[in-house]
Amino acid sequence: EVQLVQSGAEVKKPGESLKISCQGSGYRFSTYWIAWVRQMPGKGLEWMGIIYPADSDTRYSPSFEGQVTISADKSTSTAYLQWRSLKASDTGMYYCARGVLSCSGNECYSYNWFDPWGQGTLVTVSS
Amino acid sequence: DVVMTQSPDSLAVSLGERATINCKSSQSLLYTSNNKNYLAWYQQKPGQPPKVLTYWASTRESGVPDRFSGSGSGTDFTLTISSLQAEDVAVYYCQQYYFTPYTFGQGTKLEIK
């Protein structure tokens, strides 16, 4: 079974650092894009960025570039989302989600609708 | 960024009736080389992560009931639930995966009337 399992909920103070994780299983981790998506309390989905674990090619939404760091360790099939200095406005649910690989014959193409999703990691930043 | 605008923001439909949700993109999502629209629909129930319903605008994900259907091309797309069931109460999102950043619509909350 293909699944993404995220690390547990975190409660932090403003200014603290944090790194949350997303471990993939049931598939070849390095060859599928992994995205991070934020959902603030009671709000919609915001695409933060995406990483290709095979070569760590990373793309960020302009809204999140410089605010977070996305990384991956293909040896442990784990993607990460990291903050150096949290703010109260970082409070929310963070999901990782896997892109899709479509193969025909010997050719494969990556497409970034997302399935499956991790269960989410709730990050609360409060003094 | 490509802006995805859904309408309405919320919708109340009677059980067994049709529900229609619209999604408009600020740029065309049709890639002419493969004639595919890079648009997906998701369903998110309370306390759960989103689940993909359709991709390529109209291809239903395996296991999704056939009462869910996607349509549209270019900049205008629709998700239709042909006969609303109680378990369809959720928030629905469209997402474009043509241009980075891969943006979502603001969501449509579907309730039972």
Side-chain angles (χ1 to χ4, degrees):
Chain A
E1 178 194 6
V2 174
Q3 60 178 348
L4 299 174
V5 177
Q6 297 185 229
S7 50
E10 301 275 0
V11 179
K12 292 288 189 180
K13 290 181 166 42
E16 291 185 332
S17 63
L18 176 64
K19 191 173 189 178
I20 63 175
S21 67
C22 167
Q23 185 170 42
S25 62
Y27 72 99
R28 190 176 175 189
F29 181 79
S30 61
T31 57
Y32 288 75
W33 290 86
I34 293 281
W36 286 96
V37 176
R38 181 174 79 175
Q39 188 166 39
M40 297 175 77
K43 302 298 184 183
L45 305 172
E46 300 174 87
W47 187 85
M48 302 175 70
I50 199 164
I51 189 165
Y52 190 67
D55 60 8
S56 291
D57 183 9
T58 308
R59 321 278 172 85
Y60 292 94
S61 166
S63 299
F64 292 93
E65 181 131 37
Q67 309 304 309
V68 297
T69 301
I70 293 171
S71 60
D73 180 348
K74 56 188 179 184
S75 70
T76 59
S77 301
T78 304
Y80 300 96
L81 179 64
Q82 182 174 10
W83 294 260
R84 282 197 302 179
S85 180
L86 287 159
K87 302 185 280 286
S89 58
D90 292 317
T91 293
M93 183 71 81
Y94 292 83
Y95 293 102
C96 62
R98 193 194 73 166
V100 170
L101 194 64
S102 177
C103 297
S104 177
N106 291 328
E107 290 192 341
C108 292
Y109 298 93
S110 294
Y111 300 106
N112 286 306
W113 75 83
F114 302 119
D115 178 53
W117 292 60
Q119 83 276 20
T121 296
L122 181 63
V123 174
T124 303
V125 184
S126 174
S127 54
Chain B
D1 298 2
V2 175
V3 178
M4 306 298 289
T5 304
Q6 292 181 225
S7 61
D9 289 334
S10 63
L11 181 62
V13 173
S14 301
L15 289 172
E17 296 298 304
R18 179 184 298 261
T20 301
I21 300 170
N22 301 300
C23 175
K24 188 173 185 67
S25 60
S26 61
Q27 296 182 51
S28 177
L29 304 181
L30 176 63
Y31 185 44
T32 53
S33 294
N34 60 12
N35 199 36
K36 289 182 181 290
N37 288 280
Y38 285 52
L39 188 284
W41 286 98
Y42 299 86
Q43 175 193 64
Q44 187 180 29
K45 296 182 178 179
Q48 297 183 18
K51 169 190 163 185
V52 66
L53 298 174
T54 68
Y55 50 92
W56 299 131
S58 60
T59 301
R60 197 178 303 113
E61 172 74 345
S62 175
V64 172
D66 61 7
R67 63 179 180 274
F68 291 91
S69 62
S71 62
S73 184
T75 61
D76 292 280
F77 302 91
T78 300
L79 177 70
T80 302
I81 307 172
S82 60
S83 176
L84 189 71
Q85 306 299 303
E87 60 265 31
D88 301 334
V89 169
V91 180
Y92 293 84
Y93 297 92
C94 59
Q95 178 230 336
Q96 64 84 16
Y97 51 95
Y98 195 138
F99 304 98
T100 55
Y102 298 131
T103 41
F104 291 91
Q106 81 276 17
T108 295
K109 186 174 184 178
L110 178 59
E111 299 172 313
I112 305 294
K113 186 187 291 183

